[in-house]
Amino acid sequence: MRTSSPNDFDLFVIGGGSGGVRAARMAAARGARVALAESGALGGTCVNVGCIPKKLYSYAAGYAEAFEEAEGYGWHLAEAPTFNWRHLKAQRAKEIGRLNEVYLNLLNGPGVRVLRGHARFVDNAHTIEVNGERHTAQHVIVATGGRPFVPEFPGREHALVSDAMFDLEPFPKRLVVAGGGYIACEFASIFNGLGAQVTQLQRRAHVLTGFDEDLRHFVAAEMVKTGVDIRFNVQVSSIRRDGAELVLMLDRGQDLRADAVLFATGRVPNTEGLGLDAAGVQLDEKGAIRVDAQYRSSVPTVYALGDVSTRLQLTPVALAEAMVVVDALFPDPKRRAGPRQPPDYDFVPTAVFTHPNIATCGYTERAARVRFGDDKITVYCTEFKSLRHTLSGRSERTFMKLLVENDSDRVVGLHMVGADAGEIVQGFAVAMQAGATKAHFDRTIGIHPTSAEEFVTMREPSVG
Ligand code: NDP
């Protein structure tokens, strides 16, 4: 075994996903000697089997709705449009391949040494082995992300995880989706839009645990309108193959037949096989790396960010965390504002790309009442058919909700179900981060005619 000289690198990043690549390239750009190890494709879950391909497929699904709606606007499609799944997959693969190259160039540009292989700590918190070669580093960032979790049950081997959905062959005419979270709802919407008959099974009485209650009810009703068969309070007991079909037994005793079954039942951190024991890095009860407010693990020179640590599993959060660590380790003298501080986790905006989309920023109504006091919150809600659907023939409705903390008048929660919700809420998230009050919202002139203007024209609090 060859061991290179001590302190080969100022920073060694394990994992080439969103957070890892950001940290490595920014540190290298500031003159640090940086290595990054990745055993899979560069870009991690987000680029390869997550956000990016998911959004492309969501766009693909959206065309089915657009074709239907076009008739109401005077368009006549001479023939029924047909969908070519193989073409979509090939297009996606081409774009993801391009992004992999972009990521490699982002690392090569500032001089990051990219090591293609599995990395693990050996002996101590400064020595990392990749492909039989040992490297030493002053600081290490672990950014290895997470992977899908599937519970144990008979026939578990027949369950697919989200990674496998992008290249599925053939296209499943009947898809069962187990789970009610982000991934389950998004894939149920996507495959429904692309023409599959989708049944979604959620073990609780509602989808999207943790989101605002009104929003959860509203989006489920809208998804059902689009054709997703959502069933609540039900779980899969077993799956068996019967010829070309899969037969699912449900805990209520019924059975269901499907061509494919997706389990989107959460994700777990990738902390196995990294030698974290050797480094002395402690994990929490879920197997995630325990970090402090500055993303330091129990070993002060080892940091963890993104899905492998204990915070939110969202790409932009991993990017923000990466910048905090880089600023702390390799300060940018030109940055007048000083080192970046951790993001405000209470006001992280997020979207779920269901059809229609969900987006949200700040507290849910329940969390706001707990945090500020039950009688300290004023709720504003509106629900309407958007202008687009007056002619489209679609019965889709839009929902918006604002939560205002009475003492400060600050808008502490903003929730939306409707077209382009992610695009709309991103802008409002800036205002909320800046501490915008309801009075600021009221003084803001709407852009007419848009759905977004409803957020600045809600005058009367909701009753009950
Ligand atoms: P989530 O935690 O969002 O949802 C998991 C779902 O699986 C929940 O409905 C949960 O039920 C259910 N579940 C968990 N265990 C079981 C079980 N044993 N049997 C049956 N059902 C079970 O996880 P996802 O996998 O959907 O996504 C992981 C994370 O990835 C998200 O939390 C999000 O942070 C991120 N993500 C973000 C996206 C975005 O920004 N648009 C898109 C996709 C993922 P219950 O409700 O009862 O807990």
Side-chain angles (χ1 to χ4, degrees), residues 151 180-183 186 202-204 209 235 264-266 313-314 351:
Y182 275 79
I183 296 177
E186 289 183 339
Q202 159 66 330
R203 65 179 175 179
R204 289 191 205 234
T209 303
Q235 291 204 68
T265 41
Q313 298 178 330
L314 296 170

Side-chain angles (χ1 to χ4, degrees), residues 50-51 54 148-152 162 178-187 200-211 216 234-236 263-268 307 311-316 349-353 358:
C51 323
K54 176 274 306 291
F149 157 81
V150 178
E152 293 295 335
S162 54
Y182 275 79
I183 296 177
C185 289
E186 289 183 339
F187 276 93
Q200 186 178 351
L201 308 174
Q202 159 66 330
R203 65 179 175 179
R204 289 191 205 234
H206 302 296
V207 293
L208 293 166
T209 303
F211 282 76
R216 296 170 72 191
V234 62
Q235 291 204 68
V236 176
F263 261 69
T265 41
R267 295 176 62 84
V268 291
D307 293 5
R311 297 176 192 271
L312 294 175
Q313 298 178 330
L314 296 170
T315 295
T350 181
V352 187
F353 295 100
I358 295 169

Side-chain angles (χ1 to χ4, degrees), residues 60-72:
Y63 281 100
E65 292 173 351
F67 291 135
E68 276 176 34
E69 293 171 9
E71 297 263 350

Side-chain angles (χ1 to χ4, degrees), residues 163-220:
D163 298 7
M165 296 305 286
F166 298 103
D167 264 322
L168 215 52
E169 188 57 41
F171 182 82
K173 291 201 178 76
R174 294 164 304 169
L175 173 69
V176 171
V177 178
Y182 275 79
I183 296 177
C185 289
E186 289 183 339
F187 276 93
S189 275
I190 288 168
F191 277 85
N192 174 62
L194 295 179
Q197 182 190 319
V198 177
T199 308
Q200 186 178 351
L201 308 174
Q202 159 66 330
R203 65 179 175 179
R204 289 191 205 234
H206 302 296
V207 293
L208 293 166
T209 303
F211 282 76
D212 187 85
E213 293 293 315
D214 289 335
L215 180 142
R216 296 170 72 191
H217 289 96
F218 196 91
V219 76

Side-chain angles (χ1 to χ4, degrees), residues 337-422:
R340 286 174 183 78
Q341 296 307 308
D344 183 349
Y345 289 94
D346 288 339
F347 289 96
V348 170
T350 181
V352 187
F353 295 100
T354 42
H355 290 241
N357 291 182
I358 295 169
T360 176
C361 182
Y363 290 81
T364 65
E365 182 176 341
R366 179 174 295 180
R369 291 190 187 283
V370 170
R371 164 75 177 76
F372 300 102
D374 203 16
D375 55 348
K376 297 279 188 188
I377 295 295
T378 302
V379 180
Y380 296 82
C381 274
T382 182
E383 193 215 303
F384 56 93
K385 183 188 256 195
S386 70
L387 181 61
R388 179 188 179 106
H389 295 308
T390 54
L391 297 195
S392 74
R394 188 174 291 283
S395 62
E396 180 180 307
R397 295 185 72 77
T398 297
F399 170 77
M400 290 174 172
K401 179 170 181 177
L402 285 182
L403 302 168
V404 178
E405 197 274 310
N406 297 339
D407 289 348
S408 63
D409 195 40
R410 184 174 181 189
V411 176
V412 294
L414 185 145
H415 308 278
M416 175 173 177
V417 179
D420 300 320

